[in-house]
Amino acid sequence: MPDPVRSQSPASLAADALRISSDLVRKEVSLAKAELRQNLNRAGTGLGMMVAAAVLGIVTLNVLTVALVAALAETDLGPIWSAVVVGVVLAILAYVLLRKGMADLKPENLMPTRTVENVQRDASTVKEAYHDG
């Protein structure tokens, strides 16, 4: 029985190889698209859960704040001053967090200073080596 591969011409073997390669690439691209779609769906679900957690966190903070005001209201402060005290403490905390966040976002704090220093040092070293050589 003759070998079917040996009986084919080189041109038909090349055509078969191209067809098989093309099919393989097409299937890999299809697999990559499906996997990417699945990963994006998972990321969307994760993002939704994070948003839900943030909303629940805010509600929790509100409930705990009300509980703190109610607990302080049971003291000699009374309900109005209890709310004022808790409000002022929260306002100070918010202000401190805002200032820290704004300071962290200043352009000079975002610069990759170590990298810039390394590049400057490397450039200086190359310049010295060029002038010495």
Side-chain angles (χ1 to χ4, degrees), residues 50-94:
M50 289 173 62
V51 167
V55 168
L56 286 174
I58 291 170
V59 170
T60 300
L61 288 175
N62 284 332
V63 169
L64 292 174
T65 302
V66 169
L68 181 59
V69 169
L72 287 176
E74 296 293 321
T75 66
D76 290 337
L77 284 175
I80 293 173
W81 284 110
S82 297
V84 169
V85 168
V86 171
V88 167
V89 169
L90 290 175
I92 291 170
L93 178 62

Short mmCIF file of all heavy atoms in Angstrom, two decimals, residues 50-94:
data_model
loop_
_atom_site.label_atom_id
_atom_site.label_comp_id
_atom_site.label_asym_id
_atom_site.label_seq_id
_atom_site.Cartn_x
_atom_site.Cartn_y
_atom_site.Cartn_z
N MET A 50 -17.76 45.17 44.02
CA MET A 50 -17.02 46.21 44.73
C MET A 50 -17.88 47.44 44.93
O MET A 50 -17.85 48.07 45.99
CB MET A 50 -15.73 46.55 43.97
CG MET A 50 -14.69 45.45 44.04
SD MET A 50 -13.24 45.74 43.01
CE MET A 50 -12.59 47.24 43.71
N VAL A 51 -18.66 47.81 43.93
CA VAL A 51 -19.57 48.96 44.06
C VAL A 51 -20.61 48.67 45.13
O VAL A 51 -20.90 49.53 45.98
CB VAL A 51 -20.23 49.29 42.70
CG1 VAL A 51 -21.38 50.25 42.87
CG2 VAL A 51 -19.19 49.85 41.74
N ALA A 52 -21.17 47.46 45.12
CA ALA A 52 -22.15 47.09 46.14
C ALA A 52 -21.53 47.14 47.53
O ALA A 52 -22.15 47.62 48.49
CB ALA A 52 -22.72 45.69 45.85
N ALA A 53 -20.28 46.67 47.65
CA ALA A 53 -19.60 46.71 48.94
C ALA A 53 -19.37 48.15 49.39
O ALA A 53 -19.52 48.47 50.58
CB ALA A 53 -18.27 45.97 48.86
N ALA A 54 -19.03 49.03 48.46
CA ALA A 54 -18.83 50.45 48.81
C ALA A 54 -20.13 51.08 49.29
O ALA A 54 -20.14 51.82 50.28
CB ALA A 54 -18.27 51.21 47.60
N VAL A 55 -21.23 50.78 48.61
CA VAL A 55 -22.53 51.32 49.03
C VAL A 55 -22.89 50.80 50.41
O VAL A 55 -23.31 51.56 51.29
CB VAL A 55 -23.63 50.96 48.00
CG1 VAL A 55 -25.02 51.26 48.53
CG2 VAL A 55 -23.38 51.72 46.69
N LEU A 56 -22.71 49.51 50.63
CA LEU A 56 -23.00 48.94 51.95
C LEU A 56 -22.07 49.53 53.01
O LEU A 56 -22.50 49.76 54.15
CB LEU A 56 -22.87 47.42 51.93
CG LEU A 56 -24.00 46.68 51.22
CD1 LEU A 56 -23.69 45.19 51.14
CD2 LEU A 56 -25.32 46.91 51.91
N GLY A 57 -20.83 49.78 52.66
CA GLY A 57 -19.89 50.40 53.60
C GLY A 57 -20.34 51.78 54.01
O GLY A 57 -20.26 52.15 55.19
N ILE A 58 -20.82 52.56 53.05
CA ILE A 58 -21.31 53.91 53.36
C ILE A 58 -22.54 53.84 54.25
O ILE A 58 -22.65 54.59 55.23
CB ILE A 58 -21.59 54.69 52.05
CG1 ILE A 58 -20.27 54.99 51.36
CG2 ILE A 58 -22.38 55.96 52.33
CD1 ILE A 58 -20.42 55.54 49.95
N VAL A 59 -23.45 52.93 53.93
CA VAL A 59 -24.64 52.77 54.77
C VAL A 59 -24.23 52.35 56.18
O VAL A 59 -24.76 52.85 57.19
CB VAL A 59 -25.61 51.75 54.14
CG1 VAL A 59 -26.73 51.37 55.10
CG2 VAL A 59 -26.19 52.31 52.84
N THR A 60 -23.27 51.44 56.27
CA THR A 60 -22.78 50.98 57.58
C THR A 60 -22.20 52.14 58.38
O THR A 60 -22.48 52.27 59.59
CB THR A 60 -21.72 49.88 57.39
OG1 THR A 60 -22.31 48.79 56.68
CG2 THR A 60 -21.17 49.39 58.71
N LEU A 61 -21.39 52.97 57.73
CA LEU A 61 -20.83 54.13 58.42
C LEU A 61 -21.93 55.07 58.90
O LEU A 61 -21.84 55.64 60.00
CB LEU A 61 -19.84 54.87 57.52
CG LEU A 61 -18.51 54.15 57.28
CD1 LEU A 61 -17.67 54.93 56.26
CD2 LEU A 61 -17.76 53.98 58.58
N ASN A 62 -22.96 55.25 58.10
CA ASN A 62 -24.09 56.10 58.52
C ASN A 62 -24.78 55.52 59.76
O ASN A 62 -25.09 56.24 60.71
CB ASN A 62 -25.10 56.27 57.39
CG ASN A 62 -24.62 57.23 56.33
OD1 ASN A 62 -23.84 58.13 56.61
ND2 ASN A 62 -25.06 57.03 55.10
N VAL A 63 -25.02 54.22 59.74
CA VAL A 63 -25.69 53.58 60.88
C VAL A 63 -24.83 53.70 62.13
O VAL A 63 -25.33 54.03 63.22
CB VAL A 63 -26.02 52.10 60.55
CG1 VAL A 63 -26.46 51.35 61.80
CG2 VAL A 63 -27.09 52.03 59.47
N LEU A 64 -23.52 53.44 61.99
CA LEU A 64 -22.63 53.53 63.15
C LEU A 64 -22.52 54.97 63.66
O LEU A 64 -22.42 55.20 64.87
CB LEU A 64 -21.25 52.97 62.80
CG LEU A 64 -21.21 51.46 62.56
CD1 LEU A 64 -19.83 51.05 62.07
CD2 LEU A 64 -21.61 50.70 63.81
N THR A 65 -22.56 55.93 62.75
CA THR A 65 -22.53 57.34 63.17
C THR A 65 -23.78 57.69 63.96
O THR A 65 -23.71 58.36 65.00
CB THR A 65 -22.39 58.25 61.94
OG1 THR A 65 -21.19 57.90 61.24
CG2 THR A 65 -22.34 59.71 62.32
N VAL A 66 -24.92 57.24 63.47
CA VAL A 66 -26.18 57.49 64.20
C VAL A 66 -26.14 56.81 65.57
O VAL A 66 -26.56 57.40 66.58
CB VAL A 66 -27.39 57.00 63.37
CG1 VAL A 66 -28.67 57.00 64.20
CG2 VAL A 66 -27.57 57.87 62.14
N ALA A 67 -25.58 55.59 65.61
CA ALA A 67 -25.48 54.90 66.90
C ALA A 67 -24.56 55.67 67.86
O ALA A 67 -24.85 55.77 69.06
CB ALA A 67 -24.96 53.48 66.70
N LEU A 68 -23.47 56.22 67.34
CA LEU A 68 -22.56 57.00 68.18
C LEU A 68 -23.25 58.26 68.69
O LEU A 68 -23.14 58.61 69.87
CB LEU A 68 -21.29 57.36 67.40
CG LEU A 68 -20.24 58.15 68.14
CD1 LEU A 68 -19.76 57.40 69.38
CD2 LEU A 68 -19.07 58.46 67.22
N VAL A 69 -23.99 58.94 67.83
CA VAL A 69 -24.73 60.14 68.26
C VAL A 69 -25.75 59.75 69.33
O VAL A 69 -25.89 60.44 70.34
CB VAL A 69 -25.41 60.82 67.04
CG1 VAL A 69 -26.39 61.89 67.51
CG2 VAL A 69 -24.36 61.42 66.12
N ALA A 70 -26.44 58.64 69.12
CA ALA A 70 -27.45 58.20 70.10
C ALA A 70 -26.80 57.85 71.43
O ALA A 70 -27.34 58.19 72.50
CB ALA A 70 -28.23 57.00 69.55
N ALA A 71 -25.63 57.21 71.36
CA ALA A 71 -24.93 56.85 72.61
C ALA A 71 -24.49 58.11 73.34
O ALA A 71 -24.61 58.20 74.58
CB ALA A 71 -23.73 55.96 72.29
N LEU A 72 -23.96 59.08 72.62
CA LEU A 72 -23.54 60.34 73.26
C LEU A 72 -24.75 61.13 73.77
O LEU A 72 -24.64 61.86 74.76
CB LEU A 72 -22.73 61.19 72.28
CG LEU A 72 -21.32 60.70 71.98
CD1 LEU A 72 -20.66 61.59 70.92
CD2 LEU A 72 -20.48 60.68 73.24
N ALA A 73 -25.86 61.00 73.10
CA ALA A 73 -27.07 61.71 73.52
C ALA A 73 -27.56 61.23 74.88
O ALA A 73 -28.24 61.96 75.58
CB ALA A 73 -28.17 61.55 72.46
N GLU A 74 -27.20 60.00 75.22
CA GLU A 74 -27.58 59.45 76.54
C GLU A 74 -26.76 60.08 77.67
O GLU A 74 -27.11 59.92 78.83
CB GLU A 74 -27.40 57.92 76.54
CG GLU A 74 -28.29 57.18 75.58
CD GLU A 74 -29.76 57.26 75.97
OE1 GLU A 74 -30.07 57.19 77.18
OE2 GLU A 74 -30.60 57.41 75.06
N THR A 75 -25.68 60.78 77.31
CA THR A 75 -24.87 61.45 78.33
C THR A 75 -25.47 62.83 78.59
O THR A 75 -26.54 63.16 78.10
CB THR A 75 -23.41 61.57 77.87
OG1 THR A 75 -23.34 62.45 76.76
CG2 THR A 75 -22.82 60.22 77.51
N ASP A 76 -24.72 63.66 79.28
CA ASP A 76 -25.19 65.01 79.60
C ASP A 76 -25.15 65.94 78.39
O ASP A 76 -25.64 67.07 78.47
CB ASP A 76 -24.35 65.61 80.73
CG ASP A 76 -24.62 64.92 82.06
OD1 ASP A 76 -25.71 64.32 82.19
OD2 ASP A 76 -23.74 64.97 82.95
N LEU A 77 -24.52 65.49 77.26
CA LEU A 77 -24.42 66.36 76.08
C LEU A 77 -25.78 66.63 75.44
O LEU A 77 -26.01 67.71 74.91
CB LEU A 77 -23.51 65.72 75.02
CG LEU A 77 -22.02 65.77 75.27
CD1 LEU A 77 -21.28 65.00 74.18
CD2 LEU A 77 -21.53 67.20 75.30
N GLY A 78 -26.64 65.65 75.44
CA GLY A 78 -27.92 65.80 74.78
C GLY A 78 -27.79 65.50 73.30
O GLY A 78 -26.69 65.40 72.76
N PRO A 79 -28.90 65.36 72.60
CA PRO A 79 -28.87 64.93 71.20
C PRO A 79 -28.24 65.95 70.25
O PRO A 79 -27.50 65.58 69.33
CB PRO A 79 -30.34 64.69 70.85
CG PRO A 79 -31.13 65.38 71.89
CD PRO A 79 -30.26 65.48 73.10
N ILE A 80 -28.47 67.22 70.44
CA ILE A 80 -27.96 68.22 69.50
C ILE A 80 -26.44 68.31 69.60
O ILE A 80 -25.73 68.24 68.58
CB ILE A 80 -28.62 69.59 69.76
CG1 ILE A 80 -30.10 69.52 69.41
CG2 ILE A 80 -27.92 70.68 68.94
CD1 ILE A 80 -30.89 70.74 69.76
N TRP A 81 -25.91 68.45 70.81
CA TRP A 81 -24.46 68.57 70.96
C TRP A 81 -23.75 67.26 70.61
O TRP A 81 -22.63 67.27 70.13
CB TRP A 81 -24.09 69.04 72.36
CG TRP A 81 -24.36 70.51 72.51
CD1 TRP A 81 -25.32 71.10 73.25
CD2 TRP A 81 -23.65 71.56 71.85
NE1 TRP A 81 -25.29 72.46 73.11
CE2 TRP A 81 -24.26 72.78 72.25
CE3 TRP A 81 -22.58 71.63 70.97
CZ2 TRP A 81 -23.82 74.02 71.81
CZ3 TRP A 81 -22.15 72.88 70.53
CH2 TRP A 81 -22.76 74.04 70.94
N SER A 82 -24.41 66.16 70.82
CA SER A 82 -23.84 64.86 70.43
C SER A 82 -23.64 64.82 68.92
O SER A 82 -22.60 64.39 68.43
CB SER A 82 -24.74 63.71 70.87
OG SER A 82 -24.84 63.68 72.27
N ALA A 83 -24.65 65.26 68.20
CA ALA A 83 -24.56 65.29 66.73
C ALA A 83 -23.48 66.27 66.28
O ALA A 83 -22.73 65.99 65.33
CB ALA A 83 -25.91 65.66 66.13
N VAL A 84 -23.37 67.41 66.96
CA VAL A 84 -22.34 68.40 66.61
C VAL A 84 -20.95 67.82 66.84
O VAL A 84 -20.06 67.94 65.99
CB VAL A 84 -22.55 69.71 67.41
CG1 VAL A 84 -21.35 70.63 67.25
CG2 VAL A 84 -23.82 70.42 66.98
N VAL A 85 -20.74 67.18 67.99
CA VAL A 85 -19.43 66.60 68.29
C VAL A 85 -19.05 65.56 67.25
O VAL A 85 -17.94 65.57 66.71
CB VAL A 85 -19.41 66.01 69.72
CG1 VAL A 85 -18.18 65.14 69.94
CG2 VAL A 85 -19.50 67.10 70.77
N VAL A 86 -19.95 64.64 66.97
CA VAL A 86 -19.66 63.59 65.98
C VAL A 86 -19.44 64.21 64.61
O VAL A 86 -18.50 63.83 63.89
CB VAL A 86 -20.79 62.54 65.95
CG1 VAL A 86 -20.61 61.59 64.78
CG2 VAL A 86 -20.84 61.77 67.26
N GLY A 87 -20.25 65.19 64.26
CA GLY A 87 -20.08 65.86 62.95
C GLY A 87 -18.74 66.56 62.82
O GLY A 87 -18.08 66.48 61.77
N VAL A 88 -18.31 67.25 63.88
CA VAL A 88 -17.03 67.96 63.85
C VAL A 88 -15.88 66.95 63.73
O VAL A 88 -14.95 67.14 62.94
CB VAL A 88 -16.86 68.86 65.09
CG1 VAL A 88 -15.43 69.35 65.24
CG2 VAL A 88 -17.82 70.05 65.01
N VAL A 89 -15.93 65.87 64.49
CA VAL A 89 -14.88 64.85 64.41
C VAL A 89 -14.81 64.26 63.00
O VAL A 89 -13.73 64.10 62.43
CB VAL A 89 -15.10 63.74 65.47
CG1 VAL A 89 -14.18 62.55 65.23
CG2 VAL A 89 -14.89 64.30 66.87
N LEU A 90 -15.95 63.95 62.42
CA LEU A 90 -15.98 63.41 61.06
C LEU A 90 -15.49 64.44 60.04
O LEU A 90 -14.80 64.08 59.08
CB LEU A 90 -17.38 62.91 60.70
CG LEU A 90 -17.84 61.66 61.44
CD1 LEU A 90 -19.28 61.33 61.08
CD2 LEU A 90 -16.93 60.48 61.14
N ALA A 91 -15.83 65.70 60.24
CA ALA A 91 -15.37 66.75 59.33
C ALA A 91 -13.85 66.90 59.38
O ALA A 91 -13.19 67.05 58.34
CB ALA A 91 -16.05 68.08 59.65
N ILE A 92 -13.29 66.83 60.59
CA ILE A 92 -11.83 66.92 60.74
C ILE A 92 -11.17 65.72 60.05
O ILE A 92 -10.18 65.87 59.32
CB ILE A 92 -11.43 67.01 62.23
CG1 ILE A 92 -11.86 68.36 62.80
CG2 ILE A 92 -9.94 66.78 62.42
CD1 ILE A 92 -11.74 68.46 64.31
N LEU A 93 -11.71 64.54 60.26
CA LEU A 93 -11.18 63.34 59.61
C LEU A 93 -11.25 63.46 58.09
O LEU A 93 -10.28 63.15 57.39
CB LEU A 93 -11.93 62.10 60.10
CG LEU A 93 -11.51 60.77 59.49
CD1 LEU A 93 -10.06 60.46 59.83
CD2 LEU A 93 -12.42 59.65 59.98
N ALA A 94 -12.37 63.94 57.58
CA ALA A 94 -12.53 64.12 56.14
C ALA A 94 -11.52 65.13 55.60
O ALA A 94 -10.92 64.92 54.53
CB ALA A 94 -13.95 64.56 55.81
#
